[in-house]
Amino acid sequence: MGTVCFKGDDVLLIQRGTKPLQGQWSLPGGRIERGEHADVAALRELKEETGITARIVTLVDVVDAIFRSRQSGDVTRHYLLFDYAAVWISGEPNAGDDAAHAEWMSPSRLNQLDLWEETRRIIHAARLAITQPN
C-alpha cells in the first residue's frame, strides 16, 4: 500500500531506510496485514513511517514493481502497489518504521529529485484526482 499525501501543493515523500530501495525517495507505504482493508493499511503505513494523519480521497492505481537480478536478469521480487491519493489532516513529518527521512516536497523540489518514473506518474495522477474530482 502506498499513499500520495498532499498538504496544499506539497507531497509527502520518504527516504527509504531499508532495502530494496535504501536511500531512495519514494511514497510512504508498506505491507498489508492479515485481515486489514487496503485503504486502512495505507493510512496505517503513512502514520507509522511519517507521523502524518490523512484522509483517503481515492485509489489512484495499482502498480507492478518488478525487481530483477543484475547478474542474471531473473525476477527476484514482484510487488503490487496499491496507491491512494490522500489529503493531510494533522502531524509533522517525522521518519519512523523503515523510513530514514520524511519531508513535504514542493512541486519545484520534486522535479529535482531522482524518482522512479512510476512514482512521478502516480503523484501526477493523484494530484489530478484531488484537484479535479469526478
Side-chain angles (χ1 to χ4, degrees):
M1 302 304 112
T3 305
V4 187
C5 184
F6 292 98
K7 183 177 181 184
D9 287 337
D10 295 349
V11 65
L12 184 62
L13 293 182
I14 63 159
Q15 196 168 33
R16 294 270 168 215
T18 60
K19 293 181 180 181
L21 301 174
Q22 187 172 9
Q24 294 183 20
W25 289 99
S26 66
L27 298 170
R31 295 184 180 141
I32 193 168
E33 294 179 356
R34 176 179 264 184
E36 189 175 37
H37 288 264
D39 57 341
V40 173
L43 291 176
R44 176 187 50 76
E45 285 287 344
L46 177 69
K47 182 76 169 174
E48 288 176 3
E49 289 192 343
T50 69
I52 298 296
T53 301
R55 174 181 56 84
I56 296 284
V57 174
T58 190
L59 175 67
V60 178
D61 205 349
V62 179
V63 176
D64 286 284
I66 301 170
F67 296 87
R68 297 183 179 276
S69 165
R70 290 183 187 190
Q71 290 84 11
S72 68
D74 293 340
V75 173
T76 57
R77 291 176 305 281
H78 184 175
Y79 300 105
L80 287 179
L81 308 173
F82 292 74
D83 289 317
Y84 289 89
V87 291
W88 173 85
I89 293 175
S90 66
E92 291 300 321
N94 186 15
D97 200 22
D98 61 352
H101 185 71
E103 184 176 335
W104 292 111
M105 298 288 179
S106 67
S108 61
R109 174 93 191 282
L110 190 64
N111 290 334
Q112 299 171 5
L113 295 178
D114 181 24
L115 293 176
W116 182 34
E117 282 307 310
E118 277 296 285
T119 301
R120 286 191 191 285
R121 184 184 69 78
I122 291 296
I123 292 169
H124 178 71
R127 191 179 304 280
L128 288 176
I130 286 177
T131 59
Q132 302 171 6
N134 293 343

